[in-house]
Amino acid sequence: MAKRIDVSGLNVYYGDFLAVEDVSMTIEPRAVTAFIGSSGCGKSTFLRTLNRMHEVAPNARVDGKVMLDDLDIYAPEVDPVAVRREIGMVFQQPNPFPTMSIYDNVIAGSKLNNQRMSKSNADDIVERALRDANLWDEVKDRLAKPGSGLSGGQQQRLCIARAVAVQPEVLLMDEPCSALDPISTLAIEDLIASLKENYTICIVTHNMQQAARVSDQTAFFNLAGTGQPGRLIEMGETNKIFTKPDKKETENYITGRFG
Amino acid sequence: MTTTTNKPSTGAPGDGPDIADRSLLTGSLPRYFAPALLAGVAAVVAGLLFVSGSFGLPLFAIGTVVAYTVLITLASARVENGRKAKDRLVTTVVYTCFGLAMVPLLSLLWTVLSMGIERLDGYFLSVSMSGVTPTMDAGGVYHAIVGTIAITLFASLISIPIGLMTAIYLVEYGRGRLKKAITFFVDVMTGIPSIVAGLFVVALWMMFFGPGNTNGAAGAVALSVLMIPVVVRSSEEMLQLVPTQLREASYALGVPKWLTIVKVVLPTAIAGITTGIMLAIARVIGETAPLVLTAGSSAVAINWDLFNGQMMSLPVFIYSQVRMGDAINYERAWAAALTLILIVMLLFFVARLVSRFFAPKLGR
């Protein structure tokens, strides 16, 4: 498990509007890469191009290359649905399926795809995914209850369990803690730290302390100006970005002198 | 710190409300005041009307409501403050409007119940009008119930798949001109007078099967012309209520779009869709004009065959009985009207159960 992602010359469009311009970066396997930057600078948009979720929006398109190990996921013969099975995603708002129980939510990836599996096999997957997501002890006695009855932090961990249950190579997280309190945030950060042993993780965050705490690499995005596309300004070891960044813009943002 | 005596440091005197108005304390009418006032006003108005010898229920209701509205507003303005007085006034007006809206509904239900109950019994529900002369004290409505159920079921069978799939197309797939055109035509179809739908099917049947072919299927097709736009509209709204996040959550698990629609979007919206479909059925189950034209109005025997021979239905039965004009015919018509209302109520009851059964469970 865990694959490297190599992005080169990626432009992301909504219709004719260029949202993110010319991004090239390498996302290392078994490591956490954080994307930081001000609102609207394109980091979430960029994240969504990594598992071809971007094109779900009408008129959205992409040009450039995204290599998952040796495979260009934007090659014409690649099926976006298959890509999303390899590259899982966790969203900003916890979004468990309201019609399903906790148990069914965890195996939703197989269940929705009509894959048959034995009861014991499904039980194993559910337990392992919930343990991976640090949620097992809290929900093991009420697996048949609806997922929407959990607290916000638990719901988000349920969504993470759902994403890891399909055993993806890469896990993308779009501000997974922004709707959560500090305790739940801590639980999720611990979870990220343990998940990185097996997965390639990308996380978008507005919280710079969080980026500093959880990530190995940090990428800073910024707009070139109002109405201009977002750009990757600088990327490097988290430690370096937060202590002595190469670019003035990065330093301004990190130190709060932005604007 | 007291809030009533400290003058705010900002703001010149004379601009903004007076300091007395900014007090957090205000008088309030006791809780029993409003009902007590209403009872008092009602008693006084009734007394006055009796004394003047002109007591009548409508006059009494109007007098009471008007007097109560004026008095409660004045009392509130005096004891409480202006905002609360307005609140009391508007509350009274809203309740009055609600009451007004209920008057025709209750009156209608009561009339149908009292007129229809006389003849509504097991016999009436279980025999047809076969061999019954119009003035004979016999016969029932079974053939019309059969017709109504068969025609409505067949119409639903046509309309629900077409309507639901159109709604799915509009919400999940459609974009650009085609979507706009479909939305426009659905809107136009919503406004089609039912008699026109009937004429359309008469012409259609004439073209395909030649003259003189009135049967249940023609009626069902006419009803589905009326039903499809209602199903499309209500399902479309319900599907739009499903959060995009749920669709994205499903896509992110590598679930193809069609499975996402079938297994995530539809189950989430099913409760609302069921209600919408039931409303559409209720809309067409009472249609008369198109059925007179297409399914015929002279059938007297039980006919389950949609494709062969005329088929009676409850609304058409009511219509044809009323046209005959004898006392016994009116009795039959009222009893049939009551039957129809009971069937619709039963449908809504079932719909409630279904949507409760399917609704997303939010309990802990």
Side-chain angles (χ1 to χ4, degrees):
Chain A
M1 280 201 288
K3 289 186 176 171
R4 177 192 313 272
I5 297 180
D6 233 318
V7 181
S8 52
L10 191 78
N11 294 310
V12 190
Y13 299 86
Y14 287 105
D16 293 330
F17 174 70
L18 178 59
V20 180
E21 189 180 26
D22 195 24
V23 174
S24 301
M25 67 163 71
T26 300
I27 296 165
E28 296 295 334
R30 294 177 211 283
V32 179
T33 306
F35 300 163
I36 59 171
S38 53
S39 287
C41 69
K43 52 195 189 314
S44 288
T45 301
F46 173 70
L47 187 81
R48 290 165 63 91
T49 60
L50 298 182
N51 69 340
R52 297 194 65 169
M53 283 293 282
H54 174 66
E55 64 207 64
V56 171
N59 296 322
R61 64 196 170 82
V62 163
D63 65 46
K65 254 190 181 172
V66 179
M67 303 294 290
L68 183 66
D69 279 359
D70 323 319
L71 176 79
D72 180 3
I73 64 169
Y74 281 97
E77 61 275 15
V78 169
D79 177 9
V81 172
V83 170
R84 293 182 202 129
R85 278 177 207 161
E86 299 270 290
I87 307 180
M89 190 160 196
V90 176
F91 297 84
Q92 183 171 4
Q93 292 292 332
N95 51 2
F97 297 118
T99 48
M100 296 184 193
S101 65
I102 293 173
Y103 186 98
D104 287 345
N105 259 292
V106 177
I107 50 164
S110 328
K111 214 175 149 73
L112 294 176
N113 275 316
N114 286 334
Q115 287 162 3
R116 292 187 189 284
M117 59 170 96
S118 67
K119 178 83 175 84
S120 61
N121 192 6
D123 286 347
D124 287 347
I125 291 175
V126 168
E127 179 168 350
R128 197 173 60 228
L130 284 172
R131 279 190 194 284
D132 278 353
N134 278 332
L135 192 60
W136 175 250
D137 290 330
E138 289 160 66
V139 300
K140 64 180 178 214
D141 299 321
R142 48 169 170 163
L143 291 174
K145 294 274 173 61
S148 39
L150 298 172
S151 77
Q154 288 172 328
Q155 286 189 20
Q156 192 62 299
R157 278 180 282 155
L158 178 61
C159 293
I160 294 175
R162 180 174 70 186
V164 297
V166 293
Q167 301 195 312
E169 308 286 346
V170 180
L171 201 54
L172 307 177
M173 297 181 161
D174 189 357
E175 298 181 42
C177 301
S178 69
L180 305 181
D181 67 286
I183 307 281
S184 307
T185 301
L186 185 67
I188 295 201
E189 286 180 8
D190 288 347
L191 175 57
I192 292 171
S194 65
L195 288 176
K196 88 172 177 188
E197 289 164 22
N198 294 319
Y199 300 94
T200 307
I201 295 178
C202 294
I203 177 169
V204 167
T205 177
H206 273 297
N207 180 334
M208 280 183 275
Q209 285 77 24
Q210 181 172 61
R213 280 194 300 264
V214 301
S215 70
D216 304 296
Q217 300 270 317
T218 298
F220 172 61
F221 286 77
N222 200 4
L223 290 178
T226 14
Q228 305 268 314
R231 291 206 179 110
L232 174 64
I233 303 297
E234 185 173 358
M235 182 176 181
E237 296 282 332
T238 298
N239 214 358
K240 177 167 180 298
I241 294 279
F242 277 91
T243 50
K244 41 179 194 314
D246 291 338
K247 301 266 172 65
K248 187 74 183 147
E249 271 177 281
T250 316
E251 192 182 337
N252 285 348
Y253 185 78
I254 303 279
T255 53
R257 274 199 304 266
F258 188 68
Chain B
M1 189 177 98
T2 57
T3 46
T4 48
T5 53
N6 281 357
K7 200 161 185 139
S9 55
T10 55
D15 97 326
D18 195 305
I19 190 72
D21 282 352
R22 304 197 44 166
S23 161
L24 295 180
L25 303 171
T26 172
S28 71
L29 293 167
R31 292 190 63 180
Y32 60 81
F33 184 80
L37 181 67
L38 183 59
V41 168
V44 170
V45 171
L48 282 177
L49 287 173
F50 269 118
V51 168
S52 65
S54 55
F55 187 83
L57 201 57
L59 203 57
F60 166 69
I62 293 169
T64 309
V65 167
V66 171
Y68 172 77
T69 313
V70 172
L71 287 176
I72 190 84
T73 311
L74 288 179
S76 172
R78 191 159 177 80
V79 179
E80 301 173 336
N81 54 27
R83 184 176 55 78
K84 284 202 172 178
K86 270 182 227 153
D87 177 43
R88 299 247 182 207
L89 175 65
V90 174
T91 307
T92 317
V93 170
V94 168
Y95 273 102
T96 309
C97 290
F98 167 71
L100 279 179
M102 292 304 285
V103 167
L105 180 65
L106 290 178
S107 154
L108 181 139
L109 275 180
W110 173 247
T111 315
V112 175
L113 195 66
S114 59
M115 306 282 261
I117 201 82
E118 219 170 309
R119 207 170 178 81
L120 189 75
D121 50 23
Y123 172 77
F124 183 74
L125 290 178
S126 58
V127 300
S128 73
M129 291 294 282
S130 186
V132 179
T133 59
T135 51
M136 205 194 261
D137 185 11
V141 80
Y142 183 63
H143 63 306
I145 297 178
V146 165
T148 286
I149 289 175
I151 291 176
T152 312
L153 263 184
F154 194 51
S156 309
L157 222 59
I158 301 170
S159 314
I160 295 171
I162 296 180
L164 197 54
M165 296 219 191
T166 309
I168 290 175
Y169 172 78
L170 288 177
V171 176
E172 303 287 339
Y173 293 96
R175 47 182 69 159
R177 283 220 183 127
L178 185 56
K179 176 179 173 170
K180 276 200 189 115
I182 292 177
T183 311
F184 174 74
F185 283 115
V186 167
D187 282 348
V188 170
M189 271 176 84
T190 319
I192 288 182
S194 58
I195 187 85
V196 176
L199 276 175
F200 162 72
V201 173
V202 168
L204 195 70
W205 250 238
M206 191 78 93
M207 207 165 82
F208 285 120
F209 309 110
N213 264 305
T214 41
N215 56 28
V221 171
L223 290 190
S224 65
V225 171
L226 299 169
M227 198 172 159
I228 288 171
V230 186
V231 175
V232 173
R233 272 279 112 125
S234 58
S235 311
E236 189 190 352
E237 268 160 38
M238 288 306 142
L239 291 175
Q240 266 161 355
L241 286 180
V242 176
T244 319
Q245 297 165 355
L246 288 184
R247 297 188 179 93
E248 291 193 339
S250 178
Y251 297 150
L253 290 169
V255 181
K257 186 163 185 168
W258 74 274
L259 274 173
T260 301
I261 294 169
V262 173
K263 295 191 141 191
V264 176
V265 178
L266 284 180
T268 309
I270 194 76
I273 291 176
T274 320
T275 313
I277 286 173
M278 286 300 160
L279 282 172
I281 292 177
R283 155 112 166 73
V284 300
I285 204 169
E287 279 297 346
T288 321
L291 291 183
V292 171
L293 292 182
T294 52
S297 60
S298 54
V300 290
I302 297 158
N303 177 13
W304 276 106
D305 189 353
L306 280 162
F307 299 96
N308 194 8
Q310 295 206 355
M311 204 174 221
M312 186 48 87
S313 56
L314 283 166
V316 177
F317 180 83
I318 298 168
Y319 166 77
S320 53
Q321 288 295 323
V322 168
R323 275 191 44 175
M324 292 175 193
D326 280 314
I328 178 89
N329 302 123
Y330 277 107
E331 275 177 26
R332 285 198 198 107
W334 281 114
L338 183 56
T339 314
L340 185 57
I341 288 183
L342 288 177
I343 291 178
V344 172
M345 281 180 158
L346 191 73
L347 263 178
F348 270 90
F349 180 68
V350 172
R352 271 291 137 93
L353 284 187
V354 169
S355 58
R356 180 162 301 176
F357 180 74
F358 281 125
K361 288 146 191 83
L362 296 167
R364 273 161 197 268

